[in-house]
Amino acid sequence: MKSEYQNRIIHRIRQLREEHGYTQGNIASIIGISNGQMGNIESPKTSHKYTLAHIQQICKEFKYPIELIFLDKTDFSENNNIIDLLIDNIVKYER
């Protein structure tokens, strides 16, 4: 199963996808996976998740800063070392 943090990241990406009017199939095509795999990624019941390369491709498609996937808005105002926090969160996602 995915961690709560991983599900939170996947949920952010799903929201981004929906805001842009993309279907799961559209994203699956962009990142080169099957529709079934895409459904598994968005399902909290499976252990499947995006790779960092997938997340990078999605962010490029939507012209969306990748740091906003892994950081909350409050992180920018409360943390002086945003790069370390970003890296820590990416590592946390990858676990």
Side-chain angles (χ1 to χ4, degrees), residues 14-25:
R14 178 178 32 236
Q15 286 180 312
L16 188 62
R17 171 180 70 74
E18 291 172 349
E19 287 170 8
H20 284 82
Y22 282 56
T23 65
Q24 285 184 344

Side-chain angles (χ1 to χ4, degrees), residues 62-80:
F62 296 135
K63 297 174 178 54
Y64 191 81
I66 197 167
E67 61 271 19
L68 295 181
I69 296 293
F70 292 101
L71 299 171
D72 295 322
K73 290 178 184 177
T74 58
D75 292 329
F76 292 95
S77 61
E78 296 175 358
N79 195 304
N80 293 330

Side-chain angles (χ1 to χ4, degrees), residues 24-80:
Q24 285 184 344
N26 296 139
I27 296 299
S29 179
I30 290 166
I31 63 176
I33 63 174
S34 70
N35 290 347
Q37 178 72 14
M38 183 66 202
N40 286 338
I41 289 171
E42 287 197 358
S43 171
K45 298 177 183 177
T46 68
S47 61
H48 298 86
K49 63 181 181 170
Y50 293 110
T51 66
L52 289 176
H54 293 155
I55 294 171
Q56 183 182 36
Q57 286 175 287
I58 292 166
C59 287
K60 284 182 179 181
E61 177 70 21
F62 296 135
K63 297 174 178 54
Y64 191 81
I66 197 167
E67 61 271 19
L68 295 181
I69 296 293
F70 292 101
L71 299 171
D72 295 322
K73 290 178 184 177
T74 58
D75 292 329
F76 292 95
S77 61
E78 296 175 358
N79 195 304
N80 293 330

Side-chain angles (χ1 to χ4, degrees), residues 67 70-71 75-76 79-91:
E67 61 271 19
F70 292 101
L71 299 171
D75 292 329
F76 292 95
N79 195 304
N80 293 330
N81 200 340
I82 204 73
I83 299 299
D84 282 345
L85 182 60
L86 176 61
I87 292 168
D88 288 345
N89 284 349
I90 290 170
V91 169

